[in-house]
């Protein structure tokens, strides 16, 4: 059951995205324009705070906003900002106003040293979503064997701009700076837990995008005629549409698993394994569905003027962000193989 | 979008307590049951096992007590089913009766039929087979030609049913056939409760590609069925059989029938670690866990009285696809020749799954039929 609070929030978001995120705006964003009007609108609607409403709206439900944003290909860091608010709040750190983001975990990480009561931090954060647009970002760093959550002012960084396949900002940020004590907190779930939080919202976004793609494909197959009838009347198209629906369903299930796992472990902690499962399955669904959707659409879907590519390009990007399938699969596989054949079923049944 | 409504699956403390009970029972009862038999999954036939399960109250779990049922929730039944399948328990004897024949009788049967048959199913002593397919009616079930002709006090039936799994072990069949000789397609069809000991019925084996006998052809020659054998309403057969098919297609056996292969893969990889093995294991577990989630959503929809035909078709299609992909994918990390008689359980289970995999996307509705159902549900036909 979805709570009333969530239903109202989702309705607000649907209306706002439908109004603000037009194809023209999507093209603007793709060209590098920061959509300040729409951003102000969704901030004022309270969407960036959705995961920080405490008992009024459970995190598992609020995270569903990432699904709706994904369905509309919202070219703004809503998922990043609302997730950052939540992560800061539960770590006892103050959440600043404005655009927030978080740095995906990579092999290379920040060096963190204590400097009296304060901290010194140096290193490079790569492929940070919307880095150039954010006021602050969250990253994790190890210090004396403990993972810490850091709140960094983007103004302190040297930025090299980059893009993902959907032309969304993915920037490299170089830091060599000092942080006050109240910008750093221990992060008990570790680097994998932090990565999982980002992965969960990407899994939800992919589920939303897949659901939207399915709707677009159904509409197109019913309206486009060739050989004297709608192409949806052809068995070949119907079979592909059914496969697409299956992948959309799998992504839906994966997204639900991810949302519930965000605060799903004992003590409200991030439950990593279910999120890993969700990211792997949604990522695989994304690739299959994008390919089928383009095949169903023919040449028009391959053109910039048609809306399909806003979704498929995001799917091709999001499946790699916050851990690709190869990385998360390996984490799942290690856990399962370490437990051995006798515990296989109980591990699966516990998801 | 309605077709993609997969609600959060229900859970309960009672169901989890039951899960622990079932696991204990299976660990004890099946402690010497070998992997190559577990690989048979719900095609493993053992009447004694079915009787023991019945004694624990784990057959006919949701049926009314007055018919021998136990009035447990659909959620509790789902837990028992998935634990049985995960353990590879030999459930074939009672599976069809518990899954579809009993529930069909409960829904459409006469009071006399229910009172006589259901308690015997619940006791694990009365087994059913399915009377749908015919030589010229496979995927196209509405093409059935078998005819029950009205005579004094009943019907005379002639014709052949095909691909009748466990017909040779079953006591009864629910027969779907034509009752109006002039009718076309779905119209003029009905269902009957057929005692397989009735004179004029002969059951001949059909061996599958693995050399196993579970299929049969069932010939009816001037078989007399009394009026009391009619299930539900004369001429309402199509609606009834569609309802029966929904039960046949929606359960966890549609993605858990090869689980033993995954168990054997994990066992084998204990001594053959590699990054590739870890990635493959993770991917297959991810697929399985998400399918289980979707399947439990379908069970929840059924419990709520919804008709989740499209969701069930999606789960069955995804399940069959995964189960057919599994042996092929596992071959990439498991350098092991499949051998039916191998003492190595991984080789024997792999052999069994390869030989049976073609059936996964045929039984209970072919992949093409299911995808047609999904496409229609999407609004494309």
């Amino acid at each position: 059951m979805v709570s009333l609070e969530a239903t109202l929030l989702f309705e607000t978001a649907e209306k706002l995205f439908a109004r603000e995120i037009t194809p023209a705006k999507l093209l603007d964003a793709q060209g590098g324009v920061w959509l300040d009007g729409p951003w102000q609108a969704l901030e004022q609607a309270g969407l960036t705070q959705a995961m920080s409403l405490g008992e009024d709206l459970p995190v598992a439900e609020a995270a569903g906003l990432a699904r709706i944003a994904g369905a509309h290909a919202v070219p703004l860091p809503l998922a990043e900002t609302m997730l950052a608010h939540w992560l800061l709040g539960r770590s006892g750190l103050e959440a600043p106003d404005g655009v927030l983001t978080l740095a995906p975990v990579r092999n290379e990480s920040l060096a963190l040293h204590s400097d009296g009561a304060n901290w010194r931090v140096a290193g490079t954060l790569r492929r940070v979503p919307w880095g150039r647009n954010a006021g602050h970002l969250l990253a994790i760093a190890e210090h004396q064997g403990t993972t810490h959550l850091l709140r960094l002012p983007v103004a302190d960084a040297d930025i090299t701009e980059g893009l993902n396949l959907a032309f969304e900002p993915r920037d490299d940020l170089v830091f060599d700076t000092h942080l006050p004590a109240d910008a750093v907190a221990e992060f008990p779930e570790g680097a994998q837990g932090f990565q999982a939080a980002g992965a969960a919202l990407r899994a939800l976004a992919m589920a939303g995008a897949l659901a939207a793609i399915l709707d677009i494909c159904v509409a197109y197959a019913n309206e486009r005629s060739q050989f004297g009838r709608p192409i949806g009347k052809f068995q070949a198209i119907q079979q592909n549409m059914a496969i697409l629906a299956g992948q959309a369903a799998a992504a839906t299930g994966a997204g639900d698993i991810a949302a519930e796992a965000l605060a799903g472990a004992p003590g409200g902690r991030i439950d990593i394994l279910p999120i890993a499962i969700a990211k792997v399955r949604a990522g695989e669904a994304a690739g299959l569905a994008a390919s089928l959707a383009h095949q169903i659409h023919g040449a028009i879907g391959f053109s910039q003027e048609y809306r399909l590519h806003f979704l498929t390009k995001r799917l091709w990007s999001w499946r790699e962000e916050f851990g690709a399938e190869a990385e998360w699969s390996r984490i799942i596989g290690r856990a399962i193989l370490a437990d051995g054949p006798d515990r296989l079923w109980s591990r699966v049944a516990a998801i | 979008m309605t077709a993609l409504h997969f609600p959060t699956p229900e859970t309960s403390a009672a169901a989890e307590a039951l899960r622990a009970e079932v696991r204990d029972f299976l660990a004890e009862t099946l402690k010497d049951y070998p992997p190559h038999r577990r690989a048979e999954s719900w095609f493993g036939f053992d009447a004694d096992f079915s009787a023991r399960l019945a004694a624990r109250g784990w057959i006919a779990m949701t049926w009314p007590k007055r018919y021998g049922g136990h009035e447990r929730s659909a959620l509790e039944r789902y837990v028992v089913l998935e634990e049985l399948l995960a353990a590879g328990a030999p459930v074939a004897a009672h599976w069809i009766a518990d899954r579809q024949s009993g529930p069909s009788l409960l829904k459409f049967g006469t009071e006399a039929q229910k009172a006589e048959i259901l308690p015997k199913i619940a006791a694990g002593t009365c087994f059913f087979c399915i009377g749908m397919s015919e030589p010229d009616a496979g995927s196209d079930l509405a093409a059935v030609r078998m005819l029950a002709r009205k005579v004094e006090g009943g019907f005379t039936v002639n014709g052949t049913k095909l691909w009748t799994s466990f017909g040779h072990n079953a006591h009864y069949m629910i027969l779907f056939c034509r009752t109006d000789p002039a009718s076309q397609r779905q119209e003029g069809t009905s269902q009957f409760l057929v005692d397989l000991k009735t004179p004029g019925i002969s059951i001949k084996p059909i061996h599958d590609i693995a050399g196993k006998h579970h299929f049969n052809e069932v010939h009816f020659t001037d078989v007399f069925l009394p009026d009391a054998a009619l299930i539900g309403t004369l001429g309402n057969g199509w609606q009834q059989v569609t309802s029966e098919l929904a039960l046949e297609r929606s359960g966890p056996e549609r993605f858990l029938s090869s689980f033993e292969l995954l168990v054997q893969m994990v066992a084998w990889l204990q001594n053959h670690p590699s990054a590739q093995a870890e990635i493959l294991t993770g991917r297959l577990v991810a697929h399985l866990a998400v399918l289980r989630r979707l399947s439990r959503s379908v069970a929840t929809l059924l419990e709520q009285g919804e008709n989740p035909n499209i969701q069930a078709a999606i789960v069955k299609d995804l399940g069959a696809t995964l189960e057919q992909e599994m042996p092929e994918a596992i071959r990439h990390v498991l350098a092991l020749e499949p051998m039916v008689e191998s003492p190595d359980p991984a080789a024997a289970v792999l052999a069994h799954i390869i030989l049976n995999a073609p059936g996964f996307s045929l039984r209970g509705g072919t992949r093409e039929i299911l995808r047609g159902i999904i496409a229609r549900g999407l609004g494309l036909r």
Side-chain angles (χ1 to χ4, degrees):
Chain A
M1 277 301 286
V2 179
S3 66
L4 182 61
E5 284 76 10
T7 306
L8 291 172
L9 182 79
F10 293 171
E11 280 174 7
T12 303
E14 283 281 2
K15 280 185 204 149
L16 196 152
F17 297 153
R19 187 180 72 234
E20 299 283 346
I21 310 301
T22 59
K25 292 268 178 54
L26 281 162
L27 273 180
D28 286 349
Q30 185 169 300
V33 176
W34 167 254
L35 303 183
D36 201 54
W39 175 258
Q40 299 298 336
L42 62 85
E43 260 199 336
Q44 278 159 22
L47 303 189
T48 55
Q49 303 294 328
M51 289 176 71
S52 307
L53 300 178
E55 286 178 5
D56 287 346
L57 184 58
V59 166
E61 290 187 26
L65 208 48
R67 185 197 304 265
I68 299 169
H72 290 268
V74 173
L76 289 167
L78 171 60
E80 288 84 354
T81 301
M82 71 177 188
L83 181 61
H85 271 284
W86 178 63
L87 290 170
L88 286 168
R90 67 200 283 280
S91 299
L93 300 184
E94 196 176 321
D97 289 339
V99 177
L100 305 179
T101 188
L102 59 166
V105 179
R106 303 173 72 88
N107 289 333
E108 166 184 26
S109 62
L110 295 176
L112 180 66
H113 302 284
S114 64
D115 180 11
N118 297 329
W119 298 88
R120 183 178 167 76
V121 59
T124 303
L125 298 171
R126 295 194 189 279
R127 308 292 294 164
V128 178
W130 308 91
R132 74 192 70 162
N133 307 106
H136 291 79
L137 74 81
L138 306 191
I140 47 97
E142 302 295 325
H143 178 68
Q144 295 182 345
T146 306
T147 305
H148 288 70
L149 179 71
L150 281 53
R151 187 192 64 218
L152 294 148
V154 172
D156 289 1
D158 287 332
I159 301 178
T160 307
E161 296 189 350
L163 297 167
N164 69 9
L165 297 178
F167 302 93
E168 294 178 310
R170 296 294 184 262
D171 304 329
D172 292 352
L173 282 74
V174 182
F175 285 94
D176 188 356
T177 191
H178 293 272
L179 287 178
D182 64 1
V184 178
E186 289 192 7
F187 194 76
E189 289 100 332
Q192 224 170 59
F194 183 83
Q195 183 86 323
L201 292 218
R202 285 293 185 271
L204 279 158
M206 286 193 276
L210 254 70
I213 282 175
L214 181 61
D215 280 347
I216 291 171
C217 286
V218 169
Y220 186 75
N222 278 330
E223 84 195 13
R224 170 70 173 168
S225 268
Q226 288 287 275
F227 305 101
R229 50 187 171 145
I231 61 169
K233 299 286 180 200
F234 292 96
Q235 284 197 356
I237 298 287
Q238 289 175 356
Q239 296 280 308
N240 276 344
M241 287 292 304
I243 300 171
L244 176 59
Q247 296 306 317
T252 297
D256 292 342
I257 288 172
E260 287 168 20
L262 268 173
R269 289 195 177 189
I270 299 164
D271 199 356
I272 296 170
L273 199 68
I275 294 175
I277 282 169
K279 186 66 162 52
V280 166
R281 187 63 187 90
E284 188 172 325
L288 291 166
S291 158
L292 286 165
H294 278 293
Q295 190 63 30
I296 288 159
H297 273 82
I300 188 68
F302 199 53
S303 71
Q304 182 137 301
E305 71 186 74
Y306 192 82
R307 56 191 166 144
L308 182 63
H309 69 102
F310 294 120
L311 293 162
T312 54
K313 288 189 305 201
R314 281 173 172 76
L315 288 175
W316 290 321
S317 302
W318 292 341
R319 58 185 178 165
E320 255 65 50
E321 294 177 3
F322 295 98
E325 284 117 272
E327 296 165 88
W328 285 120
S329 290
R330 197 159 178 201
I331 287 164
I332 305 162
R334 276 187 183 150
I336 294 291
L337 291 170
D339 269 4
D342 295 340
R343 288 204 59 207
L344 173 62
W345 171 247
S346 61
R347 291 298 294 257
V348 172
I351 299 299
Chain B
M1 166 156 285
T2 320
L4 290 180
H5 176 54
F6 283 93
T8 303
E10 291 170 9
T11 51
S12 76
E16 292 312 303
L18 175 62
R19 187 188 299 283
E21 260 183 74
V22 177
R23 279 188 190 169
D24 287 347
F25 168 82
L26 292 173
E28 174 58 27
T29 312
L30 300 179
K31 63 177 185 291
D32 299 320
Y33 194 57
H36 72 275
R37 294 294 313 280
R38 291 178 194 259
E40 293 176 14
S41 187
W42 55 287
F43 273 64
F45 191 99
D46 181 343
D48 290 338
F49 180 82
S50 292
R52 293 178 72 175
L53 216 53
R56 296 297 303 259
W58 294 336
I59 297 178
M61 285 179 68
T62 61
W63 305 355
K65 286 186 175 163
R66 67 179 183 282
Y67 300 125
H70 304 280
E71 300 186 4
R72 314 267 315 234
S73 70
L75 171 66
E76 289 171 307
R77 175 169 181 267
Y78 189 93
V79 164
V80 171
L81 294 189
E82 68 171 353
E83 290 297 327
L84 289 167
L85 291 163
V91 294
H94 69 274
W95 193 257
I96 291 167
D98 180 68
R99 175 180 73 190
Q100 63 193 85
S101 318
S104 280
L105 287 174
L106 203 53
K107 192 167 176 186
F108 301 111
T110 64
E111 187 51 43
Q113 288 167 344
K114 288 192 269 196
E116 186 195 342
I117 303 293
L118 295 181
K120 291 196 281 189
I121 295 176
T125 56
C126 177
F127 311 141
F128 270 69
C129 60
I130 300 168
M132 294 190 200
S133 293
E134 294 181 10
D136 294 320
S139 282
D140 184 9
L141 184 57
V144 288
R145 290 202 305 224
M146 199 163 165
L147 179 66
R149 192 180 293 276
K150 189 75 189 89
V151 294
E152 175 82 31
F155 297 82
T156 301
V157 187
N158 280 286
T160 298
K161 287 292 173 186
L162 207 58
W163 316 123
T164 314
S165 291
F166 303 108
H168 58 302
N169 300 115
H171 304 98
Y172 290 91
M173 168 192 282
I174 290 187
L175 170 69
F176 171 71
C177 67
R178 211 158 281 291
T179 37
D180 176 357
S183 66
Q184 295 290 316
R185 307 292 298 162
Q186 293 90 342
E187 302 304 313
T189 55
S190 304
Q191 284 188 308
F192 293 93
L193 173 65
V194 179
D195 182 340
L196 291 170
K197 293 189 299 294
T198 310
I201 296 176
S202 70
I203 301 174
K204 296 205 173 96
I206 301 173
H207 290 89
D208 69 16
I209 62 169
K212 295 285 172 59
H213 172 211
H214 54 91
F215 283 147
N216 298 277
E217 47 185 70
V218 183
H219 301 282
F220 287 65
T221 309
D222 294 329
V223 173
F224 176 76
L225 299 178
D227 285 328
L230 180 72
I231 300 170
T233 310
L234 191 71
N236 193 40
W238 186 256
Q239 283 70 32
Q240 292 175 200
V241 84
T242 308
S243 153
E244 186 184 337
L245 275 169
L247 298 169
E248 183 173 342
R249 287 171 177 161
S250 58
E253 70 268 41
R254 300 305 179 182
F255 69 95
L256 278 177
S257 67
S258 303
F259 188 73
E260 184 62 22
L261 180 59
L262 213 51
V263 173
Q264 291 305 321
M265 182 190 81
V266 169
W268 196 87
L269 293 175
Q270 297 295 302
N271 302 317
H272 303 79
S274 72
Q276 200 189 3
E278 289 169 357
I279 290 171
L280 176 69
T281 304
R283 177 173 170 262
L284 294 178
V285 166
H287 273 260
L288 199 68
V290 170
L291 262 167
R292 178 171 175 269
R293 165 94 186 189
L294 297 178
S295 172
R296 289 164 66 231
S297 288
V298 171
T300 301
L301 286 167
L302 284 169
E303 171 82 348
Q304 293 166 353
E306 305 278 329
N307 178 12
N309 277 351
I310 297 145
Q311 290 94 326
I314 284 174
V315 172
K316 183 176 181 299
D317 185 33
L318 287 173
T321 302
L322 175 64
E323 289 205 297
Q324 289 176 336
E325 193 191 340
M326 262 169 46
E328 299 305 309
I330 286 172
R331 285 184 59 252
H332 290 288
V333 296
L334 206 133
L336 191 69
E337 186 187 352
M339 282 187 284
V340 173
E341 304 295 344
S342 175
D344 180 340
V349 169
L350 182 61
H352 179 89
I353 300 297
I354 289 172
L355 288 172
N356 282 276
F360 299 163
S361 54
L362 304 174
R363 62 191 187 190
T366 65
R367 166 170 296 142
E368 290 72 20
I369 289 294
L370 293 170
R371 289 183 179 170
I373 291 170
I374 297 165
R376 193 186 303 131
L378 293 171
L380 290 177
R381 289 154 53 126

